[in-house]
Amino acid sequence: MTAAAPITRDARLPGAVSGGDSDDTLLEKIQHEAFGYFIKHGNPGNGLVCDSTMPDAPASIAVVGFALSGYPVAVERGWMQRSDALARTLAALRFFHDADQSGAVDGIGHHGFFYHFLDMHRGRRAWASELSTIDTTLLVAGMLVAARYFDHDDAEEREVRAKAAAIYERVDWRWAQNGGRAPTMGWTPEHGFLRYRWIGYNEALILYVLALGSPSHPLQPDAYAQWLSGFRWKRIYGHAHVYAGPLFIHQFSQIWIDCRGLKDAYMAPKNIDYFENSRRATYVHHEYASRNPKRFEDYHGRCWGLTASDGPGPAKRIHHGRKRKFYDYRARGAPFGPDDGTVAPWAAIASLPFAPELVMPMLHYLSEQTGSAPEAVAFDFYTSFNPTYHVRRGDAGWVSRRHYGLHQGPMVLMIENYRNGLLWRLMRESPPVVRGLRRAGFTGGWLDLA
């Protein structure tokens, strides 16, 4: 597999910055260091990767999906030998291919889906977690990336393709519907199907595309129509778009799906695509931080990003004469909250393909802050921080000491999509993605030529 051709300037948004050497150097540093998470916190024996750096943290199957998507990036960037990436990829594929699918309380999966969290070493269910439809989707997306990238005609790379196909074909999307149209969010052996379904704008576009494109248990198009039925169109700060508060919702599916020019039954009348929708959402987040309506400290147009992230709470403190709540891990969003002054730089970084003209100034600002501050109080690109919540008098504010795989992956992959479109190109060549998009009713852009 040769390196993907760079995205031309015309393929980026009008007005996007082209970037100079200093931009490229900074992006390379951030991307490389973020990728290091998967090597440092991965188990090469079974391919599992820790959910976070919390002591004794289990593996997250979604993080494994990000890792599988990231290994090709590492090879193309020269951070990793192809043979090493292949070995880690095969370890994961062999583990999930042979995994217990009985639905047992201490098992690994059921009906082709897998438990959200697994013990890093034993590979069994952890934390009484649910059989997760979206996390299984992100795992499978990573496997499909691997199947496209490892395209050599030798035994091990053929095994990658065969096992990825077998695991994907085993996922019973129809079972996950539990008698309805939209799939449920999950299932547990103790209580059965979860109450909530994937309806309304959220991170499930990739789920619907893979479910509709399944060669074995495909959903019908009316399931996708059910997802669309919950959308909320809003105009905020002059930007009309399908609303979702946290940035990750606008990013996760587009790590793998190149939405530029693609329109479905909802977007066609609006005359925009989901890529443009995410660009507008990014502008809303940036504008919200610039206005800073709650007057948080060091919270402005060069320091922004609200999404699902760790936080300093739960706690209550007086700030500018008002009692404010501070949260722990919470899906923060703009402009309707929740918002407690906690900034997650990774969320802004993952919007780089949508609005580089907003993201690059933030990266340079944080780089300057990090370079001039003592390590103990330095802002961290890779986690979250809250300059308003002071742990000790006179300090620079609270900084999370945990790192999460769900934060590292989007940075690695979206920076790569911005730099040369590798993930998008690989998945444009994936038959299930093409089939799923067409069954969802998408037309336009690269899809008309696929």
Side-chain angles (χ1 to χ4, degrees), residues 125-139:
R125 181 192 188 202
W127 289 352
S129 58
E130 81 285 9
L131 198 77
S132 174
T133 52
I134 189 61
D135 292 281
T136 297
T137 297
L138 302 184
L139 171 64

Side-chain angles (χ1 to χ4, degrees), residues 13 15-17 19 22-23 26-27 30 247 251 275 278-279 281-283 285-287 290 300-306 344-368 381 410-411 414-415 418:
L13 294 171
V17 295
S22 60
D23 288 352
L26 181 56
L27 290 176
I30 294 169
L247 274 173
Q251 299 161 345
F275 184 94
S278 293
R279 186 188 75 89
T282 303
Y283 265 80
H285 273 252
H286 178 266
E287 180 65 20
S290 298
H300 46 74
R302 297 183 71 193
C303 186
W304 54 280
L306 297 181
W346 75 268
I349 294 170
S351 281
L352 183 65
F354 308 130
E357 66 277 15
L358 301 183
V359 175
M360 289 309 306
M362 183 213 69
L363 292 183
H364 284 291
Y365 171 77
L366 291 181
S367 178
E368 293 164 4
F381 279 18
M411 286 193 292
M414 286 301 246
I415 289 176
Y418 172 73

Side-chain angles (χ1 to χ4, degrees), residues 211-365:
L212 288 163
S214 169
S216 53
H217 306 285
L219 297 186
Q220 295 302 308
D222 66 347
Y224 187 75
Q226 182 79 351
W227 184 59
L228 296 178
S229 70
F231 280 25
R232 295 180 295 164
W233 184 260
K234 293 182 178 292
R235 180 176 292 274
I236 305 170
Y237 305 143
H239 301 287
H241 66 298
V242 181
Y243 176 76
L247 274 173
F248 82 90
I249 288 177
H250 299 280
Q251 299 161 345
F252 271 23
S253 290
Q254 292 187 66
I255 288 171
W256 296 280
I257 302 175
D258 181 2
C259 288
R260 293 172 298 173
L262 307 187
K263 297 175 184 177
D264 60 9
Y266 187 91
M267 285 300 191
K270 308 292 188 186
N271 200 31
I272 69 169
D273 53 39
Y274 287 100
F275 184 94
E276 171 64 16
N277 196 81
S278 293
R279 186 188 75 89
R280 296 181 185 185
T282 303
Y283 265 80
V284 166
H285 273 252
H286 178 266
E287 180 65 20
Y288 175 80
S290 298
R291 297 186 182 200
N292 191 8
K294 297 184 179 180
R295 301 170 62 195
F296 290 125
E297 297 177 29
D298 205 5
Y299 194 91
H300 46 74
R302 297 183 71 193
C303 186
W304 54 280
L306 297 181
T307 195
S309 65
D310 208 0
K316 294 180 181 179
R317 288 191 175 183
I318 302 298
H319 175 65
H320 287 302
R322 294 189 60 181
K323 183 180 289 187
R324 298 287 188 191
K325 287 185 178 180
F326 293 88
Y327 307 101
D328 49 12
Y329 200 97
R330 185 67 62 94
R332 295 164 172 83
F336 306 122
D339 177 25
D340 61 356
T342 299
V343 176
W346 75 268
I349 294 170
S351 281
L352 183 65
F354 308 130
E357 66 277 15
L358 301 183
V359 175
M360 289 309 306
M362 183 213 69
L363 292 183
H364 284 291
Y365 171 77

Side-chain angles (χ1 to χ4, degrees), residues 113 133 172-179 182-186 193 197:
F113 295 94
T133 52
D172 191 346
W173 307 97
R174 296 173 181 172
W175 172 79
Q177 290 176 291
N178 188 32
T184 62
M185 292 189 174
F193 286 99
R197 296 177 181 269

Side-chain angles (χ1 to χ4, degrees), residues 141 144-145 147-148 168 209-210 424-437 446 450:
L144 294 180
V145 168
R148 295 307 305 174
Y168 174 44
V209 169
L210 296 190
W424 289 338
R425 177 177 144 181
L426 288 170
M427 293 301 261
R428 287 199 302 262
E429 299 171 352
S430 177
V433 172
V434 173
R435 186 166 56 244
L437 286 167
W446 63 266

